[in-house]
Amino acid sequence: MNVHGTHYRTIWLKNDDDAVVQIIDQRPLPHKFVVEDLTTVSDVARAIKDMHIRGAGLVGATAGYGMYLAALHAPKNAPEAFTAQLIAAGETLKATRPTAVNLEWAVQRQLDAIAAAGDDISAKIAAAKTTAQTIADEDAEFCRRIGEHGVTLIEEISRRKNGAPVNILTHCNAGWLAFVDYGTATAPIYAAHDRGIPVHVWVDETRPRNQGARITAWELNQHGVPHTVIVDNVGGHLMQHGMVDMVIVGTDRTLYTGDVANKIGTYLKALAAHDNGVPFYVALPSSSFDWMKRDGVKEIPIEQRDATEVKTINGQYGDDVVSVLLTPEDSPAANFAFDVTPARLVTALITERGICDASEDGVLGLYPEKRK
Ligand code: MRU
């Protein structure tokens, strides 16, 4: 997508040095646009854990590039030592954030590709580089296709409303900054806007890190999509008053049975949508499916982050981005980063292969090769 008229992806290899991975550091957004260099697995692990980058697809793509950097720096004289170092790098990366399944998926995909490249170390490094780029390219292409499928839902509502703006509520940031390009929840919105269908987006601020207020709002602004930022508790009120036509959110892990893990607060929006007859869609690439687990509430690991994120808030003060304390200094805070929305509250899933019911039959109908 474009930033001040220039096309960017969220991650790429540096033009004149392919031993350097470059990312957009999302922490100072929307106030500052900063590109950061990553050269080691530790750099990559820190960037994921401390959320220089974030969002399921981008976490996966970054892990893919992290494995490529690990391959570049692993011992070159013995295949066993090389492989042991790559496995250790994979464990380091997987330990950074537990909820987004894309992370373990990307690490495993790299380990398989590197193993399949034979014993020659330069062939292994080449395979790691190609795989990192393929993961990133696929992520962008799958998000583009999610847009193509999802826009049909917006078109239908627009027709019903005789062309009046379609009001879409979204939570957190499942936009292009959460993936390599286009985003998932935002892809149908960008596609509709680009086709001239009037849309308006209600953007949940998404405490504690405000991915909605800071990042989704910035993205939509850059692309000229009409939107309004709201605090997290407004959605139910808007739905009761007919001011939301549909909800589209992303996901960090969706089980093949249809249960959806997404940013904390998603479940409450799904309950409100259900109570008010508002369709609730979840958009995802297949890399965000968990094909093993069946029960989201019981089985999906929910990341708990540092209390500081709840107790403080970041914002612009003069030329600087500063953090201020919100709570009594000594009050403890809990920071559950994700919740699970049961399949019964999800109207449908929007994937790169099409739209399906949030159920085992629906998902396996689109991905028959995953039938056990
Ligand atoms: O903690 P984050 O910002 O990495 O959260 C992940 C997300 O971006 C959201 O949960 C998003 O809605 C789905 S993943 C694109």
Side-chain angles (χ1 to χ4, degrees):
M1 303 296 282
N2 288 346
V3 179
H4 308 307
T6 303
H7 180 262
Y8 278 89
R9 279 184 167 190
T10 51
I11 188 163
W12 62 94
L13 287 180
K14 194 172 180 186
N15 236 343
D16 52 357
D17 184 356
D18 67 2
V20 178
V21 175
Q22 296 193 296
I23 56 166
I24 299 169
D25 183 355
Q26 299 188 24
R27 293 168 304 164
L29 284 174
H31 312 296
K32 289 192 170 123
F33 183 77
V34 177
V35 170
E36 182 183 351
D37 288 356
L38 309 175
T39 57
T40 64
V41 182
S42 317
D43 286 352
V44 171
R46 193 174 334 103
I48 298 174
K49 192 173 177 45
D50 296 345
M51 294 175 68
H52 306 202
I53 62 91
R54 41 149 297 285
L58 182 55
V59 165
T62 307
Y65 279 108
M67 293 297 284
Y68 159 61
L69 291 179
L72 272 186
H73 298 295
K76 306 277 181 295
N77 43 4
E80 303 75 38
F82 180 93
T83 302
Q85 189 134 332
L86 265 287
I87 291 172
E91 292 306 314
T92 302
L93 292 169
K94 284 195 288 182
T96 53
R97 298 197 70 191
T99 306
V101 73
N102 302 60
L103 181 47
E104 53 193 74
W105 168 85
V107 167
Q108 195 53 51
R109 188 161 166 179
Q110 277 286 25
L111 290 173
D112 292 347
I114 292 165
D119 280 346
D120 179 58
I121 301 281
S122 31
K124 286 180 177 297
I125 296 171
K129 181 178 177 186
T130 308
T131 305
Q133 284 170 322
T134 305
I135 290 172
D137 290 346
E138 245 178 48
D139 184 85
E141 172 56 16
F142 284 8
C143 286
R144 192 191 64 74
R145 289 192 215 163
I146 286 167
E148 294 294 305
H149 295 299
V151 73
T152 59
L153 301 167
I154 302 177
E155 266 164 352
E156 197 179 308
I157 296 174
S158 174
R159 264 196 304 276
R160 275 208 312 268
K161 292 184 76 176
N162 293 320
V166 178
N167 289 300
I168 303 161
L169 185 140
T170 193
H171 191 69
C172 194
N173 172 260
W176 73 270
L177 281 158
F179 290 85
V180 174
D181 210 345
Y182 301 100
T184 50
T186 53
I189 297 171
Y190 290 132
H193 177 78
D194 292 348
R195 289 176 193 194
I197 301 169
V199 290
H200 165 261
V201 185
W202 296 110
V203 179
D204 279 357
E205 64 175 348
T206 320
R207 276 282 287 152
R209 290 186 68 105
N210 293 316
Q211 290 95 327
R214 297 189 304 108
I215 298 174
T216 305
W218 183 76
E219 273 194 22
L220 294 172
N221 224 7
Q222 290 290 326
H223 204 76
V225 179
H227 63 281
T228 307
V229 178
I230 50 177
V231 298
D232 286 328
N233 300 325
V234 173
H237 168 79
L238 295 177
M239 292 180 204
Q240 284 176 323
H241 290 270
M243 294 164 80
V244 180
D245 296 305
M246 68 197 304
V247 179
I248 314 181
V249 298
T251 174
D252 299 273
R253 184 187 296 243
T254 286
L255 306 192
Y256 71 99
T257 52
D259 288 352
V260 170
N262 194 47
K263 183 52 57 187
I264 193 76
T266 303
Y267 171 50
L268 293 178
K269 290 299 140 66
L271 284 173
H274 186 72
D275 195 43
N276 289 283
V278 173
F280 184 94
Y281 295 101
V282 178
L284 72 157
S286 46
S287 52
S288 295
F289 277 117
D290 183 325
W291 302 104
M292 305 302 290
K293 299 183 173 49
R294 291 193 59 84
D295 184 325
V297 174
K298 289 199 186 126
E299 295 181 79
I300 296 178
I302 298 296
E303 178 183 9
Q304 291 187 51
R305 297 183 58 85
D306 199 280
T308 318
E309 293 180 352
V310 176
K311 296 181 65 170
T312 61
I313 198 157
N314 285 355
Q316 185 167 21
Y317 183 75
D319 284 341
D320 298 321
V321 179
V322 298
S323 170
V324 295
L325 183 64
L326 285 174
T327 62
E329 198 157 5
D330 296 333
S331 290
N335 191 1
F336 294 88
F338 300 92
D339 60 24
V340 173
T341 298
R344 67 188 159 78
L345 299 177
V346 178
T347 307
L349 304 174
I350 309 169
T351 78
E352 78 273 4
R353 290 201 190 168
I355 299 170
C356 69
D357 276 354
S359 67
E360 188 168 342
D361 278 352
V363 173
L364 294 179
L366 278 187
Y367 296 90
E369 71 276 19
K370 296 292 182 186
R371 281 186 201 280
K372 302 210 167 69

